[in-house]
């Protein structure tokens, strides 16, 4: 596969050469091997089971794609080199989609944090870097729902962010209150000294 040829961190000019070599190797290998019939008997499944399998395979494919991209990224020095390689090998894969796949694969794993029944779209939202501070809370909420939807998770994220903003605002108010109490305890001469220092400090500052 192409990824097996990424152990050499070369310049952009070598990307086409590597790709061509990979294609040649693949074709040569294909000539040496007899075709294998891949037959799956789905006739014994109930009508609902193929749907479940389709969703599960689709979910797993997103994580696997992300894992492949993460492995490829580790073999390049910079994002620019990786981006050039990605453009050559996956011309129909936009950068944002690639980032989403890598974020998904980086956050979720079958052992400690499975995607389980969480829709891929929700997984993308949870694993987005912007939600990193609250990702664990959001994941626990989503995994606890029988059928988590993108709308439900967005509402929960907004609630968490509103609470976080209120806490930050309260901390700021408490700090201002403490400062005012301290100022109120100063003597008249101490107040004059304080205001003189403030005036000197901010004389040349545009407020």
């Amino acid at each position: 596969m192409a990824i097996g040829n990424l152990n050499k961190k070369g310049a952009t000019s070598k990307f086409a050469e590597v790709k061509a070599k990979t294609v040649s190797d693949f074709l040569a290998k294909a000539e040496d091997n007899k075709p294998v019939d891949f037959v799956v008997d789905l006739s014994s499944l109930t009508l609902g089971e193929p749907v479940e399998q389709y969703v599960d395979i689709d979910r797993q494919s997103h994580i696997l794609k992300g894992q492949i991209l993460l492995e490829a990224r580790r073999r390049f020095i910079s994002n620019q080199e990786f981006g050039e390689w990605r453009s050559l090998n996956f011309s129909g894969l936009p950068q944002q989609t690639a980032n989403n796949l890598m974020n998904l694969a980086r956050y979720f794993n079958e052992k400690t944090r499975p995607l389980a029944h969480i829709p891929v779209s929700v997984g993308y939202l949870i694993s987005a870097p912007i939600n990193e501070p609250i990702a664990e809370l959001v994941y626990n909420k989503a995994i606890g729902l029988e059928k988590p939807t993108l709308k439900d998770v967005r509402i929960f994220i907004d609630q968490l962010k509103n609470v976080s903003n209120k806490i930050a605002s309260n901390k700021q108010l408490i700090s201002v209150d403490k400062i005012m109490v301290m100022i109120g305890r100063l003597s008249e001469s101490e107040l004059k000294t304080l205001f003189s220092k403030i005036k000197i400090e901010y004389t040349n500052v545009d407020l």
Side-chain angles (χ1 to χ4, degrees), residues 58-67 69 93-108 115 118-132 135 138-139 142 150 153-154 157:
D58 178 65
R59 183 183 293 113
Q60 292 177 19
S61 71
H62 283 259
I63 293 180
L64 182 56
K65 289 176 184 178
Q67 290 173 343
L69 292 171
L93 180 65
Q95 179 179 342
Q96 186 57 55
T97 301
N99 290 340
N100 290 340
L101 288 168
M102 290 190 289
N103 291 334
L104 188 76
R106 189 181 292 113
Y107 187 81
F108 291 96
L115 188 58
I118 297 175
V120 174
S121 58
V122 175
Y124 282 143
L125 185 61
I126 295 173
S127 60
I130 193 173
N131 292 323
E132 183 177 359
V138 180
Y139 172 75
L150 192 60
V153 174
R154 284 189 185 280
I157 288 175

Side-chain angles (χ1 to χ4, degrees), residues 1-7 18-19 22-23 72 75 85 89-90:
M1 295 176 64
I3 196 170
N5 291 283
L6 298 178
N7 53 349
V18 171
K19 184 179 180 182
T22 301
V23 173
R75 303 189 187 193
W85 173 86
N89 289 274
F90 305 102

Side-chain angles (χ1 to χ4, degrees), residues 162-182:
N162 287 336
V163 171
S164 178
N165 290 336
K166 287 181 180 179
I167 291 175
S169 178
N170 288 336
K171 285 183 177 179
Q172 185 177 5
L173 290 174
I174 291 172
S175 298
V176 172
D177 290 341
K178 287 183 177 179
I179 291 173
M180 295 303 296
V181 170
M182 292 173 63

